Amino acid sequence: MIRRIRRPLPRVLPRALACGLLAAGLLTSSGCGAEIEPAAKRKAGTVTVSNCGQDITYTRPKRPVAYDVSGAEKMFSLGLADRMRGYVMNTLGDPSIKGSPWRKDYAKVERLGTERITREIVVDAKADWVLAGWNSGFSEERGITPALLKKVGVAGYLHTETCWDYGDKSVDVTPLEALYTDLENLGRIFGVEQRADKLVADLKDRTAALKKTWPGKGAPAKVFVYDSGTDQPFTAGRHAAPNDIITAAGGTNIFHDLDKGWTTVGWEPVVKANPEVIVIVDYADQPAKGKIAYLKSLPSMKSVPAVKNNRFFVISYGDAVSGPRNVTGAENLGRYLRSVGR
């Protein structure tokens, strides 16, 4: 989705600075001689949840930071805007803010950066907890990982949707199940379990209701997700949220067998799959209109049913990345599929 931006790796915080942060109360532990108490002896106010196959004990965050639409809206949907230190979001996500049901929360929570989240941003904000995905926010290459943040006393939580590519790769749940897991875990971490349970139940009920609208006969409509790319299209494999959005809507992602999240493929397998509908992801610098025009201009795509029949469905970036808007995206796509007899 958001393009990778190569930049120099952030410098590791000097030991003296880390110790200074500890003295200031920002850090919960460091290599400054402090002893870490066993989990069983920790004070009340902590909670242990499983994140990417690891049981992690968190102290309730006081200065949490979220990255991108996925992180911000999971927090906002649980009523946590007033507790947040801020959020970081690439400007590509700006149209998603304008169309968000939580745009008032975006307006009142400080935006700490308009590109990728970095360790410098986190430390400068004196954050104590960060929510992001693997290889989107957290990254070995860019020097911001849960392990590195832990060294400066900042806890990290990874979107479950990205666990397939991080740590214990046996953690393999569908994108919607990953969303529900995150909401439930965040509910426990922030002490809003009832609100989280109610939200998850509502999302599941809406998904179940959508299933009742599926056509009774025939194979599901074949759907191709086009995010971007000219030489090679950038699309969604089975670990990316659109895979489940399409399934919930009553279709099938032509790349549902691809063991990837967001990834590039060739045009040849797209043409060979013969999609009936193309989902266009719409965001700031690459509006849907231009993408549709490009697809129509490709000689190899002219024979594809979706192009011949002009069946393009535009989805907001905010609906397409892991978050509570996934179900809204599925409902809208479902209505479109029914409108074309699928």
Side-chain angles (χ1 to χ4, degrees):
M1 297 290 292
I2 289 180
R3 299 182 296 252
R4 294 188 179 184
I5 303 172
R6 289 188 174 272
R7 57 183 75 245
L9 293 181
R11 293 176 297 168
V12 176
L13 286 177
R15 179 183 175 87
L17 176 56
C19 294
L21 291 173
L22 174 65
L26 173 61
L27 308 190
T28 56
S29 64
S30 75
C32 305
E35 294 293 327
I36 301 175
E37 295 181 349
K41 295 183 180 180
R42 287 178 184 163
K43 297 178 181 179
T46 65
V47 63
T48 300
V49 302
S50 179
N51 184 217
C52 290
Q54 300 179 14
D55 288 336
I56 303 176
T57 300
Y58 296 96
T59 300
R60 185 159 298 164
K62 295 181 179 179
R63 298 175 66 83
V65 168
Y67 176 62
D68 201 45
V69 176
S70 291
E73 296 196 354
K74 286 174 185 175
M75 297 288 285
F76 295 159
S77 67
L78 294 173
L80 299 172
D82 291 339
R83 303 195 203 179
M84 293 176 64
R85 171 63 184 86
Y87 71 94
V88 178
M89 188 182 300
N90 193 296
T91 53
L92 298 183
D94 286 356
S96 296
I97 295 176
K98 294 178 182 178
S100 173
W102 299 285
R103 53 189 172 276
K104 290 183 179 179
D105 288 330
Y106 278 113
K108 67 183 180 183
V109 177
E110 184 178 356
R111 188 171 184 170
L112 303 171
T114 56
E115 293 186 23
R116 304 293 284 273
I117 192 168
T118 66
R119 190 166 44 175
E120 286 89 348
I121 288 175
V122 171
V123 172
D124 288 349
K126 298 182 180 179
D128 61 357
W129 185 90
V130 176
L131 170 62
W134 185 247
N135 280 334
S136 56
F138 294 125
S139 166
E140 292 279 5
E141 181 184 11
R142 295 186 302 102
I144 177 170
T145 68
L148 289 171
L149 289 179
K150 186 177 181 181
K151 291 181 180 180
V152 293
V154 181
Y157 182 93
L158 288 107
H159 295 302
T160 303
E161 181 205 31
T162 66
C163 290
W164 68 274
D165 198 28
Y166 172 85
D168 182 1
K169 293 180 173 57
S170 66
V171 177
D172 186 3
V173 295
T174 68
L176 279 181
E177 286 298 330
L179 168 64
Y180 304 149
T181 295
D182 287 342
L183 294 173
E184 290 166 349
N185 280 346
L186 294 178
R188 294 184 63 201
I189 292 168
F190 287 91
V192 289
E193 294 95 328
Q194 289 186 348
R195 180 158 182 161
D197 290 345
K198 184 177 179 180
L199 175 58
V200 170
D202 176 65
L203 294 174
K204 288 182 176 180
D205 286 346
R206 288 166 59 192
T207 302
L210 182 55
K211 187 174 182 179
K212 294 178 181 178
T213 70
W214 294 1
K217 297 179 181 180
K222 293 185 291 184
V223 181
F224 166 53
V225 178
Y226 181 51
D227 173 274
S228 57
T230 53
D231 292 341
Q232 290 184 305
F234 194 58
T235 189
R238 73 182 183 90
H239 295 291
N243 190 74
D244 278 17
I245 291 172
I246 293 167
T247 300
T252 184
N253 175 14
I254 63 171
F255 291 113
H256 69 93
D257 288 331
L258 191 59
D259 193 27
K260 297 285 186 180
W262 290 96
T263 189
T264 54
V265 296
W267 286 109
E268 185 177 349
V270 175
V271 174
K272 185 177 180 180
N274 228 25
E276 302 167 60
V277 172
I278 297 177
V279 169
I280 305 288
V281 183
D282 189 33
Y283 48 88
D285 71 333
Q286 296 185 48
K289 185 177 180 179
K291 295 178 186 179
I292 293 172
Y294 176 72
L295 290 173
K296 288 182 175 181
S297 74
L298 291 175
S300 62
M301 291 290 287
K302 292 187 183 298
S303 63
V304 170
V307 175
K308 285 198 301 183
N309 296 315
N310 199 38
R311 290 182 176 176
F312 298 97
F313 174 79
V314 178
I315 189 171
S316 164
Y317 173 80
D319 289 1
V321 295
S322 177
R325 276 203 264 175
N326 289 162
V327 175
T328 300
E331 290 169 335
N332 291 337
L333 177 57
R335 280 190 284 270
Y336 177 78
L337 292 178
R338 304 298 94 78
S339 75
V340 296
R342 303 295 283 124

